[in-house]
Every structure is written in structure tokens, then in C-alpha cells.
């Protein structure tokens, strides 16, 4: 007998829409297949067999996150095919910051009404993020929750697992005074600080449609730019140059994230003139009359990653980043002092 429930549909949950969404997303999921994937969609769990050859002491590294209130921008613009990239990026960038290659990803979508085409568009973005980071999308969940979420809204979160050999883990213990501090440019606001962004601009369909010459398009287009995925650049830099410490600049900006890679007795000194501040951040600062400290304590300010390397490898690190399609800048250095960040 075909699975269907008129009673459940009357309560607002259409199980047949869920089946349709799965069919639409299958092609996107197939794009993410990597060696080790043992299962397809439809099982109770995603199966993955890791390749442990050559590993002396394999360590699993996990990360989970969501997209946050950036989703409100997607709702207003009715554009849903990029927020999945954000969701993946927020997880896999964190995993890679430990020196691990992300292996697989699972997503969770909770919605007020399951519109199969919309769900498939979200998953298309998730799949694109997985392709960019070299991991497989091996499962997920779509929960239709009428009365809990408005029909046109949803939440999106994800979870990734990666693996690294113990001796290659990046934990900040190698950071030393004299190390160079390299910033890797971001693509924009990424997925943090959007509650402040929405307050500053009074976000609406009208304000998002305003074009700004400095942004090269509308405010909405700039804000919805996906979070950059740095996995391949991080792992290449680790292989070819060596990384002493690394921070993913997310919520809390410079002041919260950079200290997370520092051992006691080390201070990160950043030259403000070297920070590649993107036009969107200057627009936010001006529109909200936001103090400089708050900007650097909320946003990435144009730097998605901060990496500490040996000073004599800094030029090589910048070259490797460029080869990986990333733009790196010399932000400053590590000095002896109280653990923290100083902008000068």
C-alpha cells in the first residue's frame, strides 16, 4: 500500500511532498559522492567507510552549526540555493581548522510547509558546499512543522565529521612569538552578525533591492553572498608550508576567535591598515554608526581565516594561498604578552 495519510495532511503535514522533495534532491546528493560512501538516501543512517591507510593515529573531528538569521534575507529575496553553502561552510571550515579533511555531512531542515522545489534548492546549495570541501552528503532530515514555523520559513543546520592523523592536528600549541599572522580574505559578511545587520538596515524587500556602487549590486545580493569554504586551501597550506595555529573568524569577530588559537603568553598584534576591509563592512559601520571595536567584535571585517605560520614561511604561504584561489594578506605577528588581540 502506498504511504499516505489524509489525516496527517489535514493537520498540515504532507508526507507525499517529502517523498517528492527526496526525488528532486537525489541528483544534487549524487554530485557529492566520494570514496567511502556506502549508502544512498532512504536508510536510517548514513554509512561511510573511512580510509585509514597510512594513518598512525586517526582522530575524528566534528563540527555543527547553522545559518542563523541570514535566512531572513533568503526568505525576503525568495532565493534558497546558496544558504546551503553557508551551512556547510560554517561546519567544514571549523573541522579543517583542526587540520582534518571533512569526510561527510548531514543536514537538518525544519520548515512550516514542505515545498519540494524549495527544499531541493536548499539541498542543491548544501551539495555545492560539500563538493567545494570534498566531503559527501550522506543523509539528512526534513521536518515539516506546521504551527511551529510560518509556512514560508525554515531553519537550516548541519553536522560534519572529518579525520586527521594525530601528529597533524592543529591546536595552537606550536604558535610562538615571532610567527607571522596571515589573513585570508572573506567573501563578505559570511553567516554571522545578521541580527545586527538586519537592525542597521531595517531589512525589507525594499531595502534589500537598493543598489550600491561600492557593492557592485544590491544590498540583498551582497548580504546573501555565500560563506567562503577554505578547506582545500587550509589542507594545502598544512601540507606545503605548515600551520602553527588557525582561527575561523565567525561570530565574535577578531576579539573572540583569534585568541582561540593562541597559547598562554602569546598575543596577536594586527595592523589595522593591513586588514582588507570590504565595502559591505564600511557600509554597515556608517549606516549603524557602530564603534570600531564592535565591528571587529562582531564581523570578520574581510578576513575569513587568520593563520599563524613561521615568519620565514610567510611569503611562501601567501603564494600557496594564491595558487589555491585565495587572497592572503600579512596582518601582523605573534608577540610575547597577555593572551589576546591588539589592533594597532
Amino acid at each position: 500500500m502506498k504511504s499516505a495519510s489524509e489525516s496527517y495532511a489535514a493537520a498540515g503535514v504532507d508526507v507525499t511532498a517529502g517523498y517528492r522533495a527526496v526525488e528532486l534532491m537525489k541528483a544534487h546528493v549524487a554530485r557529492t559522492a566520494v570514496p567511502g560512501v556506502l549508502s544512498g538516501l532512504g536508510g536510517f543512517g548514513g554509512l561511510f567507510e573511512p580510509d585509514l591507510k597510512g594513518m598512525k593515529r586517526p582522530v575524528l573531528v566534528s563540527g555543527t552549526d547553522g545559518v542563523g538569521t541570514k535566512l531572513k534575507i533568503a526568505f525576503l529575496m525568495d532565493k534558497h540555493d546558496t544558504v546551503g553553502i553557508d551551512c556547510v561552510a560554517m561546519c567544514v571550515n571549523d573541522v579543517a581548522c583542526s587540520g582534518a579533511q571533512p569526510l561527510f555531512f548531514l543536514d537538518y531542515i525544519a520548515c512550516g510547509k514542505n515545498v519540494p522545489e524549495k527544499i531541493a534548492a536548499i539541498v542543491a546549495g548544501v551539495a555545492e558546499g560539500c563538493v567545494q570541501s570534498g566531503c559527501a552528503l550522506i543523509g539528512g532530515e526534513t521536518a515539516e512543522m506546521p504551527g511551529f514555523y510560518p509556512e514560508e520559513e525554515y531553519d537550516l543546520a548541519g553536522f560534519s565529521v572529518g579525520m586527521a592523523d594525530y601528529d597533524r592536528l592543529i591546536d595552537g600549541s606550536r604558535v610562538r612569538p615571532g610567527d607571522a599572522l596571515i589573513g585570508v580574505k572573506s567573501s563578505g559578511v559570511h553567516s554571522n552578525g545578521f541580527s545586527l545587520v538586519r537592525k542597521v538596515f531595517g531589512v525589507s524587500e525594499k531595502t534589500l533591492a537598493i543598489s550600491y556602487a561600492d557593492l557592485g549590486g544590491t544590498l540583498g545580493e551582497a548580504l546573501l553572498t555565500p560563506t567562503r569554504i577554505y578547506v582545500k586551501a587550509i589542507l594545502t597550506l598544512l601540507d606545503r608550508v605548515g600551520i602553527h595555529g588557525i582561527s575561523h573568524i565567525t561570530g565574535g569577530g577578531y576579539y573572540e576567535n583569534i585568541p582561540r588559537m593562541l597559547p598562554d603568553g602569546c598575543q596577536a598584534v594586527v595592523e589595522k591598515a593591513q586588514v582588507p576591509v570590504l565595502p559591505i563592512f564600511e557600509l554597515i559601520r556608517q549606516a549603524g554608526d557602530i564603534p570600531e571595536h564592535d565591528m571587529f567584535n562582531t564581523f570578520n571585517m574581510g578576513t575569513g581565516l587568520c593563520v599563524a605560520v613561521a615568519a620565514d614561511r610567510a611569503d611562501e604561504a601567501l603564494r600557496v594561498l594564491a595558487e589555491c584561489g585565495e587572497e592572503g594578506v600579512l596582518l601582523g605577528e605573534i608577540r610575547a604578552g597577555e593572551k589576546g588581540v591588539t589592533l594597532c
Side-chain angles (χ1 to χ4, degrees):
M1 180 180 292
K2 186 177 180 180
S3 178
S5 172
E6 292 182 2
S7 299
Y8 211 7
V13 178
D14 184 356
V15 294
T16 59
Y19 305 146
R20 170 66 175 157
V22 170
E23 287 302 314
L24 291 175
M25 68 178 70
K26 280 184 176 179
H28 302 303
V29 174
R31 293 181 57 219
T32 74
V34 299
V37 176
L38 300 180
S39 61
L41 297 183
F44 289 100
L47 306 181
F48 191 94
E49 182 180 20
D51 182 2
L52 303 180
K53 291 193 297 291
M55 284 207 166
K56 297 178 181 178
R57 187 178 172 186
V59 177
L60 295 178
V61 181
S62 61
T64 185
D65 211 333
V67 183
T69 63
K70 183 174 185 174
L71 291 175
K72 289 285 190 180
I73 311 299
F75 302 157
L76 288 167
M77 296 182 66
D78 194 24
K79 181 173 173 57
H80 310 282
D81 60 349
T82 60
V83 289
I85 301 174
D86 290 294
C87 188
V88 174
M90 296 303 292
C91 299
V92 298
N93 283 343
D94 280 356
V95 167
C97 281
S98 291
Q101 166 65 57
L103 299 176
F104 58 82
F105 188 86
L106 293 92
D107 61 20
Y108 175 75
I109 305 169
C111 58
K113 181 177 177 60
N114 187 332
V115 179
E117 292 74 16
K118 181 186 289 187
I119 299 299
I122 297 168
V123 174
V126 173
E128 174 58 27
C130 288
V131 169
Q132 290 184 25
S133 57
C135 71
L137 177 57
I138 63 170
E141 172 70 9
T142 301
E144 190 173 18
M145 302 169 66
F148 194 88
Y149 291 96
E151 285 195 358
E152 70 280 4
E153 296 192 359
Y154 56 85
D155 197 8
L156 173 62
F159 174 86
S160 182
V161 172
M163 187 167 63
D165 214 339
Y166 182 85
D167 290 339
R168 280 171 54 90
L169 289 174
I170 305 169
D171 59 6
S173 61
R174 298 182 181 90
V175 174
R176 296 287 185 272
D179 282 351
L181 207 55
I182 292 175
V184 188
K185 286 188 70 172
S186 70
S187 56
V189 184
H190 285 184
S191 297
N192 302 102
F194 273 85
S195 293
L196 179 55
V197 169
R198 291 185 299 112
K199 179 179 184 294
V200 164
F201 292 110
V203 165
S204 66
E205 290 184 18
K206 183 178 180 180
T207 56
L208 291 175
I210 297 174
S211 290
Y212 294 85
D214 288 347
L215 301 182
T218 67
L219 176 63
E221 290 168 342
L223 293 178
L224 213 53
T225 301
T227 305
R228 195 150 185 86
I229 292 177
Y230 299 107
V231 172
K232 293 179 181 178
I234 292 171
L235 298 180
T236 302
L237 203 60
L238 179 59
D239 284 338
R240 293 176 53 183
V241 178
I243 295 174
H244 289 181
I246 186 166
S247 289
H248 184 200
I249 310 301
T250 56
Y254 279 46
Y255 288 108
E256 284 191 21
N257 289 290
I258 294 178
R260 294 168 66 180
M261 74 173 184
L262 300 176
D264 290 338
C266 285
Q267 178 182 104
V269 178
V270 175
E271 297 180 32
K272 285 187 290 184
Q274 295 297 106
V275 178
V277 179
L278 299 173
I280 185 63
F281 295 111
E282 185 58 25
L283 185 63
I284 293 169
R285 186 193 66 77
Q286 292 178 358
D289 191 24
I290 300 173
E292 178 183 83
H293 179 276
D294 291 359
M295 291 294 296
F296 278 92
N297 209 162
T298 306
F299 302 109
N300 67 64
M301 298 302 288
T303 307
L305 287 179
C306 191
V307 184
V309 301
D312 60 359
R313 307 298 295 275
D315 288 342
E316 185 181 357
L318 293 172
R319 286 195 297 271
V320 169
L321 287 169
E323 291 173 13
C324 293
E326 305 293 346
E327 186 175 346
V329 295
L330 186 61
L331 288 178
E333 64 179 358
I334 303 296
R335 296 179 186 172
E338 184 178 354
K339 182 176 178 178
V341 180
T342 297
L343 271 67
C344 59

